[in-house]
Amino acid sequence: MKKLIGFALLVLLLAACGGDGESETSGENATEPETKETSEEETETSNEVFENEDYKFVFGESEQLEGVRGNQVLAIEVEFTNKSDVAESPWMASTIPLSISEVSDVTTETVMGAVGGLPEDYKSDLYRMDEKINSGETVKAILAFELQSPGADIEIVDSKTSGEKFKRIYNTSE
């Protein structure tokens, strides 16, 4: 019985040490291991398109302007696709998977949305950030942020993944 157990352990040890290594990697039917390039592509950082299972944002141009309360506002054009099952506003959809911060030399602060902070006639052909977009629809919209520290950068990053897959920075002026 001891010899049988010893033999079984020896067979397991040989199998674990790779007795099958050469036969799988040589010949016509050999499969090449996944290359490092493929895994680098998967983690490549985008600075224009953020997409997950529920939403897609294509970030475009921005404009800094005076808001209706006399404060500085950064308006960013986006193409927003709602892939979720419920109607959602671009603003609420952006706050779920993205971290949006105002970054100065000294501090990093969460931005405040400027819902209603844009002049009424500003790019009126685009949807506003608080309008709910139906499931399956793609629209051009405006996301607006109140600038607490004009001159700081607005940084938008993917907050839900390990390893940065999306990063977009908008520069503002004083």
Side-chain angles (χ1 to χ4, degrees):
M1 182 69 158
K2 287 182 186 180
K3 287 182 182 182
L4 184 58
I5 292 174
F7 180 72
L9 289 174
L10 181 61
V11 170
L12 287 174
L13 180 63
L14 288 174
C17 289
D20 60 347
E22 191 175 329
S23 64
E24 286 185 21
T25 58
S26 63
E28 285 181 33
N29 297 328
T31 59
E32 298 208 10
E34 188 174 320
T35 64
K36 195 169 195 148
E37 261 180 52
T38 303
S39 62
E40 285 176 10
E41 280 180 20
E42 291 173 5
T43 60
E44 184 177 313
T45 301
S46 171
N47 69 346
E48 184 178 315
V49 178
F50 170 82
E51 185 170 10
N52 67 11
E53 62 277 353
D54 292 322
Y55 312 110
K56 178 178 179 182
F57 289 90
V58 179
F59 287 85
E61 298 297 316
S62 68
E63 183 178 0
Q64 185 174 333
L65 61 143
E66 186 173 322
V68 294
R69 295 186 275 300
N71 57 338
Q72 290 293 299
V73 173
L74 183 68
I76 301 173
E77 290 186 34
V78 297
E79 182 181 274
F80 171 68
T81 302
N82 183 357
K83 302 185 324 180
S84 74
D85 294 335
V86 297
E88 189 66 80
S89 71
W91 172 251
M92 287 307 294
S94 73
T95 64
I96 296 166
L98 296 170
S99 174
I100 307 168
S101 303
E102 188 173 33
V103 181
S104 71
D105 291 339
V106 179
T107 63
T108 299
E109 304 291 331
T110 301
V111 296
M112 301 297 291
V115 175
L118 294 172
E120 194 172 309
D121 62 343
Y122 179 77
K123 297 190 178 186
S124 59
D125 58 323
L126 301 179
Y127 287 86
R128 294 303 191 232
M129 61 195 259
D130 59 341
E131 293 180 89
K132 289 191 174 187
I133 307 304
N134 291 334
S135 175
E137 296 297 322
T138 298
V139 299
K140 291 190 184 276
I142 292 285
L143 293 179
F145 306 103
E146 186 175 320
L147 297 176
Q148 301 299 313
S149 302
D153 291 337
I154 298 296
E155 183 179 89
I156 306 170
V157 297
D158 182 350
S159 64
K160 299 293 183 190
T161 62
S162 61
E164 204 168 81
K165 290 187 179 180
F166 177 80
K167 183 174 188 175
R168 178 86 177 198
I169 297 176
Y170 290 95
N171 300 324
T172 66
S173 60
E174 292 185 50

